[in-house]
């Protein structure tokens, strides 16, 4: 069916593009020259040695689809754009979709900011959905569809997890100003407990035009990828403007995989090669890719050698701005795989040193944060966040976003702000400029804290809040109840210093490089245009996920508890029923029954008691029967 | 049995054996001369002064409110002062306090504490102390009215003296449960005050106030709904004496009660501008979404309950609490105050979020009927159970939650024992009351073996 459609499409195109006919015979199915403006595929591998000797490898695949002139049928035909994603985006009316699987924690202090904002451990999904009257239903279906697609537990993102952030997660695509906010709503959810593994990677790779058969995707080796300190895998679908007025929109799907591997662990040195890192060698570019680059971000200092060497004469070493707050220019060695520069050679980097020495004075990013639990016991506790601003003289605005599940009951009145360990009392000193708080409802929705905070220069801002731990029903505990519950990362969105002057940036490398290095990269030049989406606090910093242990009942007890409690209740009910419905009667009265033992005139009380006790129950029954007869 | 027979022996020795008619032993109150009254008032002043000083001094320990206010035995999700503070904070900042899962208390309480917020912070503590003292004072007054009412009521020969009303106050004021509950600033004290005021005004035959305070108690914590029937009996009983139309009396009570309750609810609606508070307060009390441990029977039962049976048992448990209202009220229609005591006791054990504040209230009623204590069979047992629970429940809770060396069953076991102790006490009191009645009306059977039929 799919093939037939494509054939028809090609025939249609043939009529318009007769000059391309000769290409058809060589590559009948995959020649993008047939549709020069319909879809573009770009692949990039970025390798960056990090300050603590680790190595970041970042795969980035982007497919852009022009929506021009066929708004209705923009998803009728699929060439490079993955059909599975296209159908999901279209049928659930999603305008933007961001899905990230992460394992491990990005170490901001040592590694700087990641190339795409890394997400906190687990799965994070956020999407801007068009308001079409069944938005919440669409969101539910979206999570379920993605769950099926990626073999992940995304379907567990239900009402108790779903959040509508007010300040964070602004659209990242580019829009014309009118359509930015009015017709879409944001939904977000994360599953910090989700484990990411090859079962998620395999469907992810299947979305790529070349799968993992050729191009840089052939380096995606599950065995090596998951043997790393950090890995993150994401899909971002977002619209993209073609022209400054944003009349023609493209849809872009950006797939990334980032891993941080540790060559020092293996050899004690920072040296790495592709075959060592991925266990494979790079053969050639994906034939469908318009652009296929391997980029190495060169360390500023250090005695190192790259083999094969990048050629400065051939525009192979370029300078671009980093996406983080520091805004440093970085030297990058670019290898164009289309030109077959790396065929049959194992790219490697060697350092002229016997052993790696950890650099204690490396530059830290300006803003980073840590979050942890305070308190002890399983009854109550607190959350504390330390947010650092390392800039010596600039106040930096941030947005703090934290979703705390309903089973931690927050007390907002205990929210305390400290700057450099000094309590903040007056309103004017309070760095919190805006605060959105959504209290949790049991079994229905989570707590959400969103705050716009101004971090004063060179400061440590501490937020703390107390909570009660909720006692869950025994069926609400996971099977490994005593492991505890994961609390997802808090997200700190901040702005890069460059953005203060130059507001046309996004976090994404291509968006950045575009504005700064127009002359260096011809292909990126074509994508010029206003990017309103770039304005909003583009850097996201994820804090640690937390593990909280909740009080557990005894899981083996349900029957015992039901029995014991009901016994106590029955004890009361029975006794009261007895007292309410029965009257006191004398076992015998003076003149009716001829029974000496209870005749108070003839015998003294002691003997009465004795005789009753001696005769026991039988005697009582006899007497009662007699009374019955008399009555 | 042995105790009972001894009791009978005693009564036989004291009274003459020949009497076969009901002996209406009218004890004249003329013995209370002015001098005695003066000393009695002096005792009262000392009692209240000491109680006031004790509370004031204990409040000076800076953390005591926090420590006691976070004990599960003392505060519950529906009475916690911390949660009230949270609700107040949210309300002050323009967030609806009922839109979250933390605050489950009545809107008027919110309004009241918002006003108190303008006063210096110590005034709230002072108000708690004053309310506690007022409660005690009203209890003494209730005792006086009760003694007045029972002046002409037949009594047993061995019962010589009426209990001094100040003793009732003292027993309430120096009950450790009361003190702990007061120091924790649990809002149960407002319910208790309403119940006591309702009872007091009902006994004083002030229908409007009586019904208002019962409605207020219902409004604050729902379960006092039960008290409408025994308090109505208080009015009908006195109406019967005066020969008024009973039907009018009952309709008047019901009308006033419903009127006041509707008024309070509408006032709350006007205050918070939505009906959300109904589900956040009464919904929570009835449906039990918050399973924080307390000394009651609900929490662990519903933590452990299988999902498919949850609603069934919820209905059964709540019905069970209410099912005694009619029989108890009817059985004690001549002693509606005793009915109030019994229903308070039932509430303290079988409500969804009981705390020791509830127990302190019903225990305060018990000595008003001091005459039945002689008939109670398990005094030693129940006293021991109360002591045993007071000591072991904090320990077992600590073992479960903090030390990790015990599990939930430890604390659950203690709550079971506590409930059992209360149940035994209540059943015992009912038995004693009925048994004493029987003895009063059947003095000729005092040497017979008595059984239930």
């Amino acid at each position: 069916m799919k093939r037939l459609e494509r054939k028809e499409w090609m025939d249609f195109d043939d009529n318009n593009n007769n000059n391309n006919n000769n290409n058809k015979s060589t590559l009948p199915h995959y020649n993008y020259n047939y549709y020069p403006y319909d879809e573009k595929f770009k692949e990039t591998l970025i390798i960056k040695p990090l300050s603590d000797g680790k190595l970041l490898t970042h795969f980035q695949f982007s497919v852009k689809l022009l929506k021009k002139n066929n708004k209705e049928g923009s998803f009728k035909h699929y060439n490079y754009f993955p059909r599975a994603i296209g159908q999901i985006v279209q049928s659930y009316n999603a305008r933007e979709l961001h899905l990230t699987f992460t394992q491990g924690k990005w170490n901001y202090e040592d590694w700087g900011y990641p190339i795409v904002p890394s997400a906190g451990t687990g799965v994070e999904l956020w999407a801007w959905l068009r308001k079409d009257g069944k938005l919440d239903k669409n969101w539910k279906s979206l999570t379920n569809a993605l769950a099926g697609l990626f073999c992940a537990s995304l379907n567990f993102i239900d009402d108790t997890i779903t959040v509508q952030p007010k300040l964070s997660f602004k659209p990242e695509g580019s829009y014309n100003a009118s359509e930015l906010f009015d017709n879409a709503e944001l939904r977000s959810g994360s599953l910090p407990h989700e484990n990411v593994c090859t079962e998620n990677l395999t469907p992810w790779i299947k979305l790529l035009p070349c799968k993992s058969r050729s191009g840089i995707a052939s380096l995606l080796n599950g065995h090596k990828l998951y043997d790393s300190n950090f890995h993150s895998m994401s899909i971002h679908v977002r619209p993209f403007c073609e022209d400054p007025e944003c009349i023609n929109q493209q849809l872009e799907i950006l797939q990334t995989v980032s891993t941080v591997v540790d060559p020092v662990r293996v050899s004690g040195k920072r040296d790495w090669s592709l075959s060592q890192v991925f266990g494979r060698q790079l053969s050639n570019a994906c034939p469908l890719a318009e652009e296929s680059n391997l980029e190495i971000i060169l360390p500023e200092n250090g005695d190192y050698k790259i083999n094969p060497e990048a050629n400065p004469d051939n525009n192979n070493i370029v300078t671009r701005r980093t996406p983080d707050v520091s805004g440093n220019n970085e030297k990058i060695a670019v290898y164009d795989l289309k030109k077959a520069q790396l065929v049959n050679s194992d790219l490697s980097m060697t350092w002229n040193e016997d052993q790696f020495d950890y650099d204690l004075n490396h530059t830290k990013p300006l803003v980073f944060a840590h979050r942890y639990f305070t308190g002890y016991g399983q009854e109550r506790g607190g959350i504390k966040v330390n947010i650092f601003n390392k800039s010596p003289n600039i106040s930096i605005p941030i947005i703090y976003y934290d979703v705390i599940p309903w089973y931690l009951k927050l007390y907002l009145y205990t929210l305390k702000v400290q700057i450099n360990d000094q309590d903040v009392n007056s309103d004017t000193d309070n760095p919190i400029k805006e605060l959105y708080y959504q209290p949790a409802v049991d079994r229905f929705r989570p707590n959400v804290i969103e705050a716009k905070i101004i971090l004063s220069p060179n400061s440590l801002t501490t937020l703390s809040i107390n909570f009660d731990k909720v006692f869950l029903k025994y069926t609400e505990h996971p099977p490994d109840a005593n492991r505890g519950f994961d609390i997802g990362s808090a997200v700190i969105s901040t702005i890069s210093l460059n953005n203060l002057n130059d507001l046309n940036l996004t976090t994404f490398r291509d968006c950045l490089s575009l504005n700064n290095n127009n002359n260096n990269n011809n292909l990126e030049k074509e994508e010029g245009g206003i990017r309103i989406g770039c304005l909003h606090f583009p850097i996201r910093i994820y804090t640690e996920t937390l593990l909280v242990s909740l009080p557990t009942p005894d899981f083996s007890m349900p029957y015992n508890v039901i029995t014991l409690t009901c016994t106590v209740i029955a004890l009361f009910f029975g006794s009261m029923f007895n007292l309410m419905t029965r009257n006191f009667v004398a076992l015998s009265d003076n003149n009716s029954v001829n029974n000496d033992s209870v005749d108070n005139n003839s015998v003294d009380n002691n003997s009465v008691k004795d005789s009753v006790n001696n005769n026991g129950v039988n005697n009582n029954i006899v007497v009662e029967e007699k009374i019955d007869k008399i009555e | 049995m042995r105790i009972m027979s001894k009791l009978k022996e005693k009564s036989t020795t004291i009274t003459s054996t020949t009497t076969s008619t009901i002996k209406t032993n009218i004890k004249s109150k003329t013995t209370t001369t002015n001098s005695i009254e003066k000393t009695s008032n002096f005792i009262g002043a000392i009692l209240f002064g000491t109680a006031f000083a004790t509370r004031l001094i204990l409040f000076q320990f800076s953390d005591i409110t926090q420590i006691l206010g976070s004990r599960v035995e003392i505060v519950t999700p529906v009475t916690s002062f911390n949660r009230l503070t949270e609700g107040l904070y949210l309300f002050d900042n323009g967030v609806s306090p009922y839109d979250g899962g933390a605050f489950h208390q009545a809107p008027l309480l919110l309004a009241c504490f918002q006003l108190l917020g303008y006063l210096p912070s110590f005034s709230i503590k002072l108000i708690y102390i004053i309310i506690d003292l007022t409660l005690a004072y009203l209890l003494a007054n209730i005792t006086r009215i009760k003694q007045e009412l029972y002046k002409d009521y037949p009594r047993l020969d061995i019962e010589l003296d009426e209990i001094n009303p100040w003793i009732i106050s003292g027993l309430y004021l120096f009950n450790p449960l009361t003190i702990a509950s007061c120091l924790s600033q649990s809002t149960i004290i407002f319910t208790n005050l309403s119940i006591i005021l309702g009872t007091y005004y009902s006994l004083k035959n002030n229908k409007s106030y009586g019904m208002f305070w019962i409605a207020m108690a219902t409004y604050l914590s729902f379960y006092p709904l039960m008290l409408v029937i025994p308090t109505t009996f208080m009015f009908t009983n006195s109406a019967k004496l005066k020969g008024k139309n009973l039907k009018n009396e009952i309709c008047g009570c019901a009308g006033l009660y419903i009127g006041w309750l509707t008024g309070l609810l509408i006032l709350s609606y006007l205050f918070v501008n939505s009906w959300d508070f109904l589900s956040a307060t009464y919904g929570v009390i009835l449906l039990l979404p918050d399973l924080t441990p307390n000394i009651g029977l609900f929490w662990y039962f519903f933590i452990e309950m299988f999902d498919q049976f949850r609603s069934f048992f919820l209905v059964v448990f709540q019905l069970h609490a209410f099912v005694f209202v009619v029989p108890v009220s009817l059985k004690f229609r001549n002693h509606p105050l005793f009915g109030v005591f019994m229903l308070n006791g039932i509430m303290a054990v079988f409500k969804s979020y009981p705390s020791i504040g509830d127990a302190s209230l019903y225990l305060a009623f018990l000595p008003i009927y001091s005459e039945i204590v002689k008939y109670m069979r398990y005094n030693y047992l129940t006293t021991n159970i109360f002591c045993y629970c007071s000591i072991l429940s904090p320990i077992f809770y600590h073992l479960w939650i903090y030390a990790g060396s015990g599990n939930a069953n430890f604390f659950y076991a203690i709550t079971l024992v506590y409930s059992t102790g209360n149940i035994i006490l209540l059943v015992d009191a009912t038995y004693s009351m009925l048994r004493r009645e029987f003895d009063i009306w059947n003095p000729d059977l005092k040497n017979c073996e008595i059984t239930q039929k």
Side-chain angles (χ1 to χ4, degrees):
Chain A
M1 194 65 186
K2 191 179 171 187
R3 187 161 286 188
L4 190 70
E5 280 176 10
R6 183 169 286 161
K7 189 86 171 49
E8 285 167 358
W9 182 241
M10 277 176 7
D11 290 344
F12 171 75
D13 251 353
D14 279 349
N15 300 332
N16 298 327
N17 303 316
N18 284 329
N19 54 340
N20 285 329
N21 266 350
N22 21 353
N23 283 346
K24 190 188 170 189
S25 57
T26 52
L27 283 167
H29 290 297
Y30 293 111
N31 191 340
Y32 63 80
N33 286 337
Y34 276 106
Y35 329 105
Y37 301 109
D38 284 337
E39 284 174 86
K40 273 186 204 166
F41 173 53
K42 238 169 75 177
E43 55 175 12
T44 319
L45 168 62
I46 299 164
I47 298 176
K48 181 183 181 185
L50 300 167
S51 72
D52 64 345
K54 297 195 174 56
L55 186 73
L56 166 68
T57 60
H58 176 77
F59 295 79
Q60 188 163 308
F61 306 90
S62 110
V63 175
K64 282 180 185 155
L65 173 83
L66 184 63
K67 286 157 86 184
K68 188 180 180 180
N69 295 338
N70 51 355
K71 278 218 160 147
E72 289 298 311
S74 59
F75 284 108
K76 244 181 186 164
H77 305 281
Y78 294 91
N79 276 348
Y80 308 151
F81 201 94
R83 181 194 185 103
I85 295 289
Q87 284 176 335
I88 288 174
V89 165
Q90 198 183 26
S91 52
Y92 304 125
N93 238 335
R95 206 177 65 178
E96 248 184 62
L97 174 71
H98 302 264
L99 173 65
T100 315
F101 297 85
T102 309
Q103 200 76 57
K105 188 195 174 296
W106 182 268
N107 187 347
Y108 290 90
E109 277 161 272
D110 284 337
W111 303 345
Y113 293 120
I115 291 169
V116 289
S118 103
T121 302
V123 182
E124 183 195 59
L125 171 67
W126 56 284
W128 282 86
L129 302 174
R130 289 195 184 82
K131 287 179 195 164
D132 59 354
K134 46 175 188 171
L135 195 146
D136 284 308
K137 203 170 151 250
N138 280 343
W139 168 248
K140 208 169 166 48
S141 313
L142 179 76
T143 55
N144 280 289
L146 289 172
L149 187 59
F150 289 105
C151 301
S153 328
L154 283 160
N155 49 325
F156 284 99
I157 298 183
D158 51 10
D159 283 345
T160 63
I161 293 176
T162 302
V163 181
Q164 302 177 41
K166 291 273 191 304
L167 304 171
S168 312
F169 299 112
K170 290 298 173 207
E172 285 186 347
S174 43
Y175 302 92
N176 48 36
S178 62
E179 70 165 330
L180 191 53
F181 293 116
D182 27 336
N183 59 357
E185 269 187 33
L186 174 60
R187 291 289 183 282
S188 151
S190 71
L191 297 167
H193 185 36
E194 184 74 9
N195 286 312
V196 185
C197 203
T198 41
E199 59 178 9
N200 309 114
L201 181 70
T202 310
W204 185 92
I205 288 177
K206 278 187 186 160
L207 302 176
L208 297 172
C210 289
K211 312 286 185 276
S212 60
R213 289 196 196 98
S214 65
I216 60 168
S218 63
L219 293 175
L220 290 171
N221 176 357
H223 293 287
K224 292 286 181 182
L225 220 52
Y226 294 109
D227 180 21
S228 57
N229 291 48
F230 169 90
H231 60 87
S232 172
M233 179 178 102
S234 68
I235 285 195
H236 305 272
V237 182
R238 54 188 183 162
F240 207 81
C241 287
E242 265 212 325
D243 47 77
E245 287 77 36
C246 214
I247 294 161
N248 295 322
Q249 267 189 335
Q250 295 175 321
L251 195 69
E252 181 187 24
I253 177 168
L254 185 76
Q255 288 179 260
T256 68
V257 173
S258 301
T259 57
V260 174
V261 291
D262 191 1
V264 180
R265 187 184 70 184
V266 181
S267 60
K269 289 181 179 179
R270 281 188 273 180
D271 303 352
W272 58 267
S273 67
L274 283 185
S275 59
Q276 185 198 331
V277 173
F278 299 109
R280 289 176 188 168
Q281 284 198 7
L282 193 57
S283 52
N284 54 340
C286 167
L288 306 177
E290 188 180 339
E291 188 188 323
S292 177
N293 284 344
L294 193 156
E295 303 177 357
I296 302 174
I297 299 179
L298 303 171
E300 280 170 33
N301 38 33
D303 184 8
Y304 56 85
K305 215 178 109 199
I306 297 173
N307 181 39
E309 203 140 355
N311 188 357
D313 307 331
N314 208 4
N315 270 348
N316 272 351
I317 293 193
V318 297
T319 312
R320 286 183 206 153
R321 214 140 82 174
T322 54
D324 64 20
V325 187
S326 63
N328 291 332
N329 284 332
E330 280 179 334
K331 267 172 124 186
I332 298 168
V334 180
Y335 296 85
D336 189 347
L337 299 179
K338 282 263 162 196
K339 293 180 187 161
Q341 285 174 327
L342 286 176
V343 173
N344 297 329
S345 68
D346 183 18
L347 184 68
S348 65
M349 189 172 183
T350 45
W351 297 71
N352 189 15
E353 59 188 11
D354 291 337
Q355 204 185 338
F356 169 65
D357 290 320
Y358 188 82
D359 178 14
L360 291 171
N361 299 319
H362 64 271
T363 47
K364 290 184 178 180
L366 291 188
V367 178
F368 55 92
H370 293 290
R371 185 180 66 159
Y372 46 92
F373 276 135
T374 56
Y376 60 95
Q378 297 189 319
E379 197 178 12
R380 50 184 63 89
I383 295 176
K384 207 165 209 179
V385 196
N386 288 334
I387 309 170
F388 296 87
N389 177 5
K390 289 290 177 192
S391 159
N393 47 14
I394 302 171
S395 292
I396 299 178
I398 61 153
I399 291 167
Y400 178 75
Y401 166 79
D402 207 347
V403 180
I404 312 284
W406 64 268
Y407 39 81
L408 299 185
K409 203 156 266 178
L410 293 186
Y411 289 106
L412 189 64
Y413 77 94
T414 60
L415 179 69
K416 221 169 69 181
V417 186
Q418 286 182 317
I419 297 178
N420 297 330
D421 290 332
Q422 301 287 312
D423 279 356
V424 173
N425 295 319
S426 70
D427 274 353
T428 47
D429 293 345
N430 197 340
I432 297 182
K433 299 302 170 200
E434 261 178 72
L435 179 70
Y436 289 93
Y437 176 67
Q438 173 194 283
V441 175
D442 289 356
R443 300 176 183 86
F444 184 68
R445 67 168 198 220
N447 297 288
V448 183
I449 301 176
E450 271 195 285
K452 202 176 258 181
I453 303 174
I454 309 278
L455 303 177
S456 39
N458 205 7
S459 69
L460 159 62
T461 308
T462 307
L463 306 181
S464 63
I465 190 164
N466 293 346
F467 59 79
D468 277 356
K469 294 176 185 177
V470 168
F471 291 75
L472 298 176
K473 296 169 188 164
Y474 94 114
T475 47
E476 287 168 337
H477 284 278
D480 50 350
N482 286 301
R483 179 188 167 275
F485 287 78
D486 293 271
I487 312 296
S489 309
V491 183
I492 289 163
S493 311
T494 182
I495 200 162
S496 80
L497 286 190
N498 302 320
N499 291 21
L500 297 175
N501 309 319
D502 174 10
L503 290 170
N504 289 346
L505 298 174
T506 66
T507 44
F508 291 98
R509 177 155 292 275
D510 52 359
C511 186
L512 274 164
S513 54
L514 174 77
N515 289 285
N516 302 315
N517 305 299
N518 285 347
N519 1 347
N520 289 334
N521 201 320
N522 298 329
L523 284 164
E524 283 174 344
K525 211 194 229 168
E526 292 174 8
E527 306 162 353
I530 293 175
R531 289 177 174 78
I532 298 169
C534 300
L535 303 186
H536 296 281
F537 294 83
I539 297 175
R540 287 203 303 276
I541 300 157
Y542 288 79
T543 66
E544 294 87 349
T545 51
L546 299 173
L547 188 64
V548 59
S549 69
L550 295 182
T552 51
D554 184 341
F555 293 102
S556 59
M557 281 282 279
Y559 287 107
N560 303 353
V561 170
I562 292 169
T563 321
L564 290 170
T565 308
C566 288
T567 306
V568 170
I569 289 199
L571 173 71
F572 183 70
F573 185 83
S575 314
M576 284 303 277
F577 187 79
N578 202 14
L579 287 165
M580 293 293 123
T581 52
R582 295 168 72 179
N583 289 319
F584 289 104
V585 289
L587 280 178
S588 85
D589 55 338
N590 297 343
N591 42 13
S592 58
V593 184
N594 178 21
N595 188 335
D596 352 326
S597 64
V598 287
D599 188 344
N600 62 345
N601 288 332
S602 59
V603 195
D604 65 346
N605 286 309
N606 284 331
S607 70
V608 171
K609 192 176 70 197
D610 288 341
S611 71
V612 171
N613 285 347
N614 290 338
N615 293 330
V617 183
N618 290 334
N619 191 23
N620 285 356
I621 291 169
V622 171
V623 176
E624 278 189 314
E625 277 172 0
K626 283 177 184 166
I627 296 169
D628 281 347
K629 277 175 196 163
I630 293 155
E631 284 172 359
Chain B
M1 253 340 148
R2 182 170 285 273
I3 301 167
M4 284 221 354
S5 354
K6 271 183 190 164
L7 197 76
K8 271 178 261 160
E9 282 168 45
K10 254 190 218 167
S11 58
T12 42
T13 49
I14 291 167
T15 58
S16 61
T17 48
T18 50
T19 48
S20 58
T21 53
I22 298 165
K23 194 171 180 185
T24 54
N25 198 349
I26 304 163
K27 260 209 153 62
S28 63
K29 281 240 164 185
T30 47
T31 47
T32 54
T33 58
N34 277 342
S35 67
I36 289 174
E37 205 149 74
K38 246 179 205 168
T39 49
S40 163
N41 283 345
F42 183 64
I43 292 168
I46 289 178
L47 262 180
F48 280 83
T50 326
F52 184 79
T54 319
R55 281 164 173 71
L56 207 59
I57 290 164
L58 285 173
F59 261 129
Q60 298 308 312
F61 294 101
S62 54
D63 282 345
I64 199 155
T65 310
Q66 265 309 315
I67 292 167
L68 291 177
S70 52
R71 299 263 5 141
V72 288
E73 300 91 344
I74 302 174
V75 296
T76 64
V78 293
T79 60
S80 157
F81 189 73
N82 284 345
R83 290 179 188 243
L84 181 71
T85 319
E86 172 72 0
L88 205 58
Y89 184 83
L90 292 179
F91 187 68
D92 284 342
N93 286 286
V95 181
S96 166
Y98 297 103
D99 189 27
F103 183 62
H104 307 302
Q105 297 171 46
L108 290 185
L109 222 49
L110 208 61
C112 166
F113 275 88
Q114 201 182 22
L115 285 177
L116 289 177
Y118 295 110
L119 299 173
S121 62
F122 194 75
S123 62
I124 290 180
K125 292 174 177 174
L126 212 60
I127 280 170
Y128 270 90
I129 298 176
I130 290 168
I131 289 179
D132 229 11
L133 298 186
T134 318
L135 269 169
Y137 183 72
L138 289 167
L139 276 168
N141 278 350
I142 287 173
T143 316
R144 280 194 199 96
I145 298 171
K146 180 247 169 187
Q147 287 172 357
E148 195 66 29
L149 281 175
Y150 280 72
K151 205 168 57 185
D152 301 333
Y153 199 76
R155 55 168 58 217
L156 291 177
D157 308 323
I158 50 164
E159 290 163 7
L160 300 172
D161 272 327
E162 293 280 11
I163 193 167
N164 186 337
W166 293 126
I167 293 176
I168 314 286
S169 300
L171 285 174
Y172 174 78
L173 284 173
F174 294 102
N175 182 349
L177 304 185
T178 317
I179 298 177
S181 186
C182 173
L183 292 175
S184 74
Q185 298 192 351
S186 157
T187 54
I188 190 73
I189 205 168
F190 296 98
T191 313
N192 287 355
L193 180 72
S194 309
I195 291 174
I196 293 277
L197 276 168
T199 317
Y200 172 70
Y201 282 115
S202 302
L203 283 174
K204 282 191 84 176
N205 211 15
N206 188 334
K207 210 184 299 169
S208 180
Y209 280 12
M211 281 301 141
F212 170 76
W213 286 110
I214 296 296
M216 180 61 109
T218 312
Y219 167 78
L220 287 175
S221 52
F222 187 74
Y223 282 94
L225 168 68
M226 297 179 190
L227 300 177
V228 179
I229 299 182
T231 43
T232 310
F233 273 119
M234 290 180 186
F235 294 115
T236 53
N237 284 353
S238 73
K240 222 185 275 175
L241 287 178
K242 290 170 193 161
K244 282 192 205 157
N245 188 348
L246 290 188
K247 214 175 199 175
N248 286 349
E249 205 71 11
I250 292 166
C251 290
C253 285
L256 273 170
Y257 174 77
I258 291 166
W260 282 122
L261 195 60
T262 331
L264 286 170
L265 291 177
I266 288 171
L267 201 63
S268 312
Y269 171 75
L270 294 177
F271 183 65
V272 292
N273 242 327
S274 88
W275 289 111
D276 284 350
F277 73 91
L278 288 179
S279 60
T281 52
Y282 310 121
V284 166
I285 287 171
L286 287 175
L287 301 177
L288 211 83
D290 194 323
L291 294 165
T292 310
N294 52 48
I295 49 172
L297 294 165
F298 278 65
W299 66 276
Y300 204 50
F301 190 80
F302 287 101
I303 281 180
E304 295 277 10
M305 180 45 67
F306 307 106
D307 279 334
Q308 61 267 40
F309 297 125
R310 193 177 303 276
S311 352
F312 168 73
F313 276 101
L314 208 53
V315 171
V316 169
F317 271 44
Q318 298 286 12
L319 268 187
H320 176 260
F322 281 95
V323 86
F324 296 104
V325 179
V326 175
V328 166
S329 307
L330 283 178
K331 194 83 179 178
F332 297 111
R333 60 187 171 280
N334 296 321
H335 309 281
L337 184 60
F338 190 81
V340 169
F341 155 72
M342 273 306 295
L343 291 178
N344 274 325
I346 289 168
M347 269 187 255
V349 185
F350 296 108
K351 76 195 279 196
S352 45
Y353 296 103
S355 65
I356 59 165
D358 298 280
S360 82
L361 177 75
Y362 96 88
L363 288 177
F365 276 99
L366 185 59
I368 298 179
Y369 281 91
S370 56
E371 58 267 22
I372 64 168
V373 174
K374 292 194 191 71
Y375 278 90
M376 291 174 70
R377 298 163 291 180
Y378 306 115
N379 286 337
Y380 181 70
L381 179 65
T382 43
T383 318
N384 273 324
I385 286 180
F386 271 105
C387 298
Y388 173 77
C389 291
S390 315
I391 295 162
L392 281 187
S393 88
I395 294 175
F396 280 176
Y397 193 71
H398 182 86
L399 288 185
W400 171 31
I401 296 294
Y402 291 98
S405 51
N407 66 8
N409 299 341
F410 283 56
F411 186 70
Y412 167 64
I414 276 300
T415 62
L416 267 191
V417 171
Y418 173 83
S419 301
T420 314
N422 280 294
I423 285 170
I424 292 174
L425 178 62
L426 287 170
V427 170
D428 206 14
T430 318
Y431 167 82
S432 313
M433 189 70 186
L434 294 171
R435 186 67 181 76
R436 177 175 172 271
E437 283 288 281
F438 181 80
D439 274 354
I440 286 176
W441 299 110
N442 302 289
D444 50 331
L445 294 178
K446 74 173 60 89
N447 292 328
C448 294
E449 200 62 34
I450 306 298
T451 187
Q452 280 179 306
K453 191 169 161 54

